[in-house]
Amino acid sequence: MNSIEKKFEKLATDNAPGQETRQKAGNIETLLRGDRLAGTPVDFSHGDVDAFAPAPGSFEAFAAGVKRGGAQAYTEYRGSLEIRNMLADRLASFTGAAVSADDGLIITPGTQGALFLAVASTVSAGDKVAVVQPDYFANRKLVQFFDGEIVPVKLDYLDARNKAGLDLSALEDAFKAGAKVFVFSNPNNPAGVVYSRQEIEAIARLADRHGATVIVDELYSRLLYDGTDYTHLRATGIDPERVVTIMGPSKTESLSGYRLGAAFGSTRIVGRMEKLQAIVSLRAPGYSQAVLSSWFAEPAGWLSERCAAHQAIRDDLLSQLGAVEGVRARKPEAGSYLFPRLPELAVSTQDFVRILRHQAGVTVTPGAEFGPHSTDSVRLNFSQNHKAAADAIERVVELVGRYRK
Amino acid sequence: MNSIEKKFEKLATDNAPGQETRQKAGNIETLLRGDRLAGTPVDFSHGDVDAFAPAPGSFEAFAAGVKRGGAQAYTEYRGSLEIRNMLADRLASFTGAAVSADDGLIITPGTQGALFLAVASTVSAGDKVAVVQPDYFANRKLVQFFDGEIVPVKLDYLDARNKAGLDLSALEDAFKAGAKVFVFSNPNNPAGVVYSRQEIEAIARLADRHGATVIVDELYSRLLYDGTDYTHLRATGIDPERVVTIMGPSKTESLSGYRLGAAFGSTRIVGRMEKLQAIVSLRAPGYSQAVLSSWFAEPAGWLSERCAAHQAIRDDLLSQLGAVEGVRARKPEAGSYLFPRLPELAVSTQDFVRILRHQAGVTVTPGAEFGPHSTDSVRLNFSQNHKAAADAIERVVELVGRYRK
């Protein structure tokens, strides 16, 4: 195998969320116990934008962008200045620290696009990068793609209380060992836990002390549940040139079909990201950029209603799962992910995930995608029709019983 | 300067088309001769989608995609199977060779996205890559970004007749010297010349003989002028696993605001491209994918009318430029680029480009973006309002006179 083959081997997407339809059924029939369970199929690998519709005004904003014509189709690579001006103000007010519309903000195709550009702009071959375990699978894959070296930092999300559970001394050790970049999601994807103010301030202090850059993915930071305090890293007083914050309207706002993301903060890194965007996808998403005019400008009450609806689903699913012997799950404080640890099963988690799909019409993402210590867990995006999701979890509970060791 | 700073230094976009608004005026005032020339500003750095409107049905197809909801927002990373099925048939019929909807086609955010993924999937650090001079600027930048080594192959576009003018023996030498990838655009961007059947067959033969992969950017292959024969590389009998063809509806069809591209051919490379797309932009452009239903399905007569309108602009602009002493330009056979060589001027081409914008409201792209032998040329995308473009060229002619050495 030559080097490029090896590189793409590591990028395996066979079990990645959304790619399940490409999986072969394989030997699944030989593993089955009992009959199929009837019920509405639920795909927990991503949110259901039919159950939670795109934020009001988004399509109208897109249509207005198309009407605007060339001026909207062709903008600066980093996005239209008018939209950046509008967005910079809203993001500054949301995160509690200034955003430069001119030099410190870039609009990207999806939040994934922002994450790719941020990692590509900070990580070279051989660079050490601190990566949380578990965390969003692309963090690890991106570092590997650019031949960086992953320095793992464990998140004790299951047992920690009133904090996410980051091993701060492991993070300090990573910086001492030469890690120049730290990438993490807050709220954590897949566990849905939020970093405490103390944790975020400690990250800021350590990054400043060791001259490290921090890429923080705050994709779910608007979907907060009762009692959750959220601290934006960029508002801690950390050197602003050390931080890139990533957000986008794909999740809480259900605008993922428009493929929009944004990165803001360090002007040095945003400058690089734009140069790279020129050859990765040329420019910010033409007409879709216009949809950002509806972002952070939703009707009064819209966001709190959306949070409440998700919180109700969270609570029901969690109580269903909590009743199962051997299942452990921490209550998510934000976002729409549940990350339960399963009891010991007679089949591998990978096979159990296939069985769930085959026998119960339930799609979940295996924990191994998020880190090597989560192989006994599965991730569920509970941004779904409430009733269908609860019914689907009943089927999961039933199958956990059947396949228990 | 550390290695990542050097890398991004090479990605400079200061003179890239579309980025002109970020340029500082600098010392421009000290160079000016005579007064400003009044007239409608024309931005020849890209086509004007207000002058040539998006193909009929595109917005309606997008709106239908939004209505479809989650099924359109979340597809396989390589794009919806339904759309791939439809597109594979149309692309096979257009290019004259089979396309596998399942394994041999990927939908990307813009044609730029396809090109990025194709180069990233075939070029590793230290690999030699044959690159045409002049050619689309991203070809060179992409190879540099992945630390490949460029082996230049000259295109004698100005003096060749009935062929593009590729130096085939230089291409053979490049392959003999170890180049494993050849990337080129046909029709050539910036020169608008089309490779002859003999040239394309020779490229196929050489690639097969030396085991090389060819990435061919056929973005403009639908916009052909009277008397032009077009040969698709993939229809020559070349090993189909050696070729990736890139197209998209951004140019002829003016759908650039929807950010759509497609790559098809080698299943091995398309497979890698999808794995990479997962971490670059996650998935094919959600709702925008639906717009592809209108592609290659335009109303009868629409394409030939669009070709005729562009041909008329080409002819007028060319005769205006041809009347200027010392200007040399070959008649484009396809696409909407003119690439005139200017006579010797008292200022650098770079400065002349800034002067054109400042003094005449005319934006063009300096030839140096496309290769080291084109520093005395400028590129103009003549997909513009006919009258405004002709008037703008009058101003260019006037300023060539003023700044002539």
Side-chain angles (χ1 to χ4, degrees):
Chain A
M1 211 185 271
N2 66 29
S3 71
I4 200 157
E5 280 167 357
K6 272 191 212 134
K7 196 165 195 166
F8 279 89
E9 192 72 16
K10 285 189 205 153
L11 281 182
T13 49
D14 302 345
N15 296 302
Q19 291 299 85
E20 297 80 6
T21 56
R22 295 194 74 79
Q23 289 168 13
K24 307 282 177 261
N27 64 339
I28 193 78
E29 292 292 345
T30 67
L31 300 173
L32 296 186
R33 297 179 179 183
D35 292 336
R36 265 190 66 85
L37 298 175
T40 309
V42 174
D43 184 351
F44 286 107
S45 77
H46 58 75
D48 180 353
V49 298
D50 299 329
F52 286 98
S58 49
F59 179 71
E60 292 71 15
F62 185 91
V66 175
K67 278 230 173 66
R68 211 166 296 134
Q72 187 64 71
Y74 289 91
T75 66
E76 282 177 59
Y77 297 163
R78 63 179 67 200
S80 127
L81 179 60
E82 192 186 330
I83 293 170
R84 275 155 41 218
N85 275 328
M86 181 200 70
L87 209 55
D89 287 346
R90 296 180 189 172
L91 292 171
S93 140
F94 178 68
T95 62
V99 174
S100 161
D102 192 40
D103 287 326
L105 170 64
I106 181 169
I107 301 170
T108 58
T111 311
Q112 184 68 52
L115 189 61
F116 174 82
L117 296 176
V119 173
S121 297
T122 50
V123 177
S124 290
D127 285 354
K128 287 183 177 150
V129 181
V131 174
V132 175
Q133 289 180 345
D135 209 327
Y136 180 47
F137 55 86
N139 296 2
R140 160 178 57 85
K141 288 182 182 178
L142 282 167
V143 174
Q144 285 170 339
F145 183 73
F146 290 107
D147 297 315
E149 185 189 322
I150 288 171
V151 185
V153 180
K154 217 171 158 181
L155 185 75
D156 185 22
Y157 64 96
L158 264 181
D159 291 306
R161 287 294 167 268
N162 301 318
K163 58 180 182 177
L166 189 69
D167 186 341
L168 287 165
S169 63
L171 180 63
E172 182 164 20
D173 290 347
F175 288 148
K176 281 184 181 160
K180 285 286 167 227
V181 179
F182 174 47
V183 53
F184 76 111
S185 58
N186 182 25
N188 174 264
N189 174 353
V193 297
V194 168
Y195 289 74
S196 68
R197 169 166 297 277
Q198 288 70 26
E199 286 177 306
I200 294 295
E201 285 174 349
I203 291 168
R205 214 164 36 237
L206 289 172
D208 273 342
R209 187 180 309 152
H210 295 280
T213 297
V214 187
I215 301 169
V216 52
D217 167 358
E218 301 191 349
L219 184 53
Y220 270 109
S221 57
R222 296 187 80 196
L223 195 61
L224 303 181
Y225 301 127
D226 287 349
T228 301
D229 284 321
Y230 189 94
T231 307
H232 294 277
L233 177 67
R234 59 194 314 277
T236 54
I238 187 173
D239 175 352
E241 283 298 318
R242 295 214 179 291
V243 189
V244 177
T245 302
I246 290 169
M247 286 193 68
S250 295
K251 304 294 187 181
T252 311
E253 305 81 358
S254 298
L255 300 181
S256 62
Y258 292 101
R259 310 303 306 133
L260 283 163
F264 49 103
S266 167
T267 59
R268 178 178 51 95
I269 298 171
V270 166
R272 287 183 190 166
M273 289 170 72
E274 181 181 48
K275 287 181 176 187
L276 187 55
Q277 177 144 292
I279 59 166
V280 171
S281 54
L282 198 49
R283 69 187 81 230
Y287 299 140
S288 279
Q289 290 180 46
V291 174
L292 291 171
S293 63
S294 70
W295 196 29
F296 284 97
E298 299 86 1
W302 177 88
L303 183 62
S304 56
E305 213 172 278
R306 185 147 284 204
C307 289
H310 280 86
Q311 186 165 321
I313 302 174
R314 175 197 70 169
D315 291 344
D316 282 354
L317 270 45
L318 210 54
S319 82
Q320 290 172 274
L321 289 167
V324 182
E325 201 195 316
V327 167
R328 290 196 64 199
R330 179 162 157 201
K331 186 190 278 192
E333 294 142 0
S336 61
Y337 293 120
L338 267 173
F339 197 53
R341 177 177 288 178
L342 303 177
E344 216 180 337
L345 301 173
V347 295
S348 71
T349 308
Q350 214 79 278
D351 280 338
F352 187 64
V353 165
R354 288 160 66 217
I355 288 168
L356 280 179
R357 216 156 68 84
H358 198 79
Q359 206 166 20
V362 175
T363 303
V364 303
T365 305
E369 288 288 303
F370 306 95
H373 311 296
S374 321
T375 50
D376 51 3
S377 301
V378 294
R379 189 192 73 173
L380 300 92
N381 187 325
F382 60 82
S383 187
Q384 307 287 345
N385 176 287
H386 195 146
K387 171 81 169 65
D391 291 351
I393 295 298
E394 278 313 301
R395 302 201 292 281
V396 172
V397 169
E398 160 75 18
L399 291 189
V400 166
R402 276 194 208 169
Y403 292 89
R404 191 185 283 282
K405 198 164 195 170
Chain B
M1 213 186 270
N2 68 27
S3 71
I4 201 156
E5 280 166 358
K6 272 190 211 134
K7 197 166 195 166
F8 280 88
E9 193 69 16
K10 284 189 204 154
L11 280 182
T13 49
D14 303 344
N15 296 300
Q19 290 300 87
E20 296 79 8
T21 55
R22 294 194 74 79
Q23 290 168 13
K24 308 280 177 263
N27 64 341
I28 192 78
E29 293 292 344
T30 65
L31 300 172
L32 296 187
R33 299 180 178 182
D35 291 336
R36 264 189 68 84
L37 297 175
T40 309
V42 175
D43 184 350
F44 286 108
S45 78
H46 58 74
D48 180 354
V49 299
D50 299 328
F52 286 98
S58 49
F59 179 70
E60 292 72 15
F62 185 91
V66 175
K67 278 231 172 65
R68 210 167 295 131
Q72 187 63 69
Y74 289 91
T75 66
E76 284 177 59
Y77 297 162
R78 64 179 67 199
S80 129
L81 180 59
E82 193 186 331
I83 292 171
R84 274 153 44 217
N85 274 328
M86 182 201 71
L87 209 54
D89 287 347
R90 296 181 189 171
L91 292 170
S93 140
F94 178 68
T95 62
V99 174
S100 161
D102 193 39
D103 287 325
L105 170 63
I106 181 168
I107 301 170
T108 58
T111 311
Q112 184 69 51
L115 190 61
F116 174 81
L117 296 177
V119 172
S121 298
T122 50
V123 177
S124 291
D127 285 354
K128 288 182 176 150
V129 181
V131 174
V132 174
Q133 287 178 347
D135 209 328
Y136 180 47
F137 55 86
N139 296 1
R140 160 178 57 86
K141 289 182 182 177
L142 281 167
V143 174
Q144 285 170 339
F145 182 74
F146 290 107
D147 297 316
E149 185 188 324
I150 288 171
V151 186
V153 180
K154 216 171 157 182
L155 185 75
D156 185 21
Y157 64 96
L158 263 181
D159 291 307
R161 287 295 168 268
N162 302 315
K163 58 180 182 178
L166 189 69
D167 186 340
L168 286 165
S169 63
L171 180 62
E172 182 163 19
D173 289 347
F175 287 148
K176 281 184 181 162
K180 284 288 167 228
V181 178
F182 174 47
V183 54
F184 75 112
S185 58
N186 182 25
N188 174 265
N189 173 355
V193 297
V194 168
Y195 288 74
S196 69
R197 168 165 299 277
Q198 289 70 28
E199 286 177 306
I200 293 296
E201 286 174 348
I203 291 168
R205 214 163 38 236
L206 290 171
D208 272 343
R209 187 181 308 153
H210 295 279
T213 297
V214 187
I215 300 168
V216 53
D217 167 358
E218 301 191 349
L219 184 52
Y220 270 108
S221 57
R222 295 185 81 196
L223 194 61
L224 303 180
Y225 300 127
D226 287 349
T228 302
D229 284 322
Y230 189 94
T231 307
H232 294 277
L233 178 67
R234 58 195 315 277
T236 55
I238 187 173
D239 175 352
E241 283 297 319
R242 294 212 179 293
V243 189
V244 176
T245 302
I246 290 169
M247 286 193 69
S250 296
K251 304 294 186 179
T252 311
E253 305 81 359
S254 299
L255 300 181
S256 61
Y258 293 100
R259 309 305 307 137
L260 283 163
F264 49 104
S266 168
T267 59
R268 178 177 50 94
I269 298 170
V270 167
R272 286 184 191 166
M273 290 171 72
E274 182 182 46
K275 287 181 177 187
L276 189 53
Q277 177 143 292
I279 59 166
V280 171
S281 54
L282 199 49
R283 66 187 83 230
Y287 300 140
S288 279
Q289 290 179 47
V291 174
L292 291 170
S293 64
S294 71
W295 196 29
F296 284 98
E298 299 87 1
W302 177 87
L303 182 63
S304 55
E305 213 172 279
R306 186 147 283 208
C307 290
H310 280 87
Q311 186 165 321
I313 301 173
R314 174 197 70 171
D315 291 344
D316 282 354
L317 270 45
L318 209 55
S319 82
Q320 290 172 274
L321 289 167
V324 181
E325 202 194 316
V327 168
R328 291 197 63 198
R330 181 163 156 199
K331 186 191 279 192
E333 294 142 3
S336 60
Y337 293 120
L338 267 173
F339 197 52
R341 177 177 289 178
L342 303 177
E344 217 179 336
L345 300 174
V347 295
S348 71
T349 307
Q350 215 78 279
D351 281 337
F352 187 64
V353 164
R354 288 160 66 217
I355 289 167
L356 281 178
R357 216 156 69 83
H358 198 79
Q359 206 166 22
V362 175
T363 304
V364 303
T365 306
E369 289 287 302
F370 306 95
H373 310 296
S374 319
T375 50
D376 51 3
S377 300
V378 294
R379 189 191 73 172
L380 300 92
N381 187 325
F382 61 82
S383 187
Q384 306 288 345
N385 176 287
H386 194 145
K387 171 79 168 66
D391 290 351
I393 295 299
E394 277 315 301
R395 302 201 292 281
V396 172
V397 169
E398 160 74 20
L399 291 189
V400 166
R402 275 195 208 167
Y403 293 89
R404 190 186 286 281
K405 197 165 195 170

